[in-house]
Amino acid sequence: MTAPAPVTRYQQRIDRVQKIVQVHTKLDDTKARALATDMVHVLDTTPETVR
């Protein structure tokens, strides 16, 4: 029996944002996931002084 793959904090953040996007839009899973990934990437790469 193999152990389940660990879920990274990055994946948890993507999942959280995807759920929020899907609550507020009519996007399907694939499009909501893509948008969530883009949003998390922007937040991660935006300098602290701009945030």
Side-chain angles (χ1 to χ4, degrees):
M1 185 163 118
T2 60
V7 178
T8 65
R9 289 188 141 190
Y10 177 76
Q11 290 169 326
Q12 291 173 345
R13 291 172 65 212
I14 296 290
D15 291 342
R16 219 175 281 142
V17 174
Q18 179 182 353
K19 287 176 187 174
I20 292 168
V21 167
Q22 288 183 297
V23 165
H24 295 283
T25 68
K26 295 181 180 180
L27 296 176
D28 62 18
D29 287 344
T30 304
K31 290 180 181 179
R33 183 94 179 165
L35 180 57
T37 302
D38 289 345
M39 293 169 72
V40 170
H41 174 73
V42 168
L43 289 171
D44 286 347
T45 58
T46 303
E48 188 69 32
T49 56
V50 176
R51 288 190 252 163

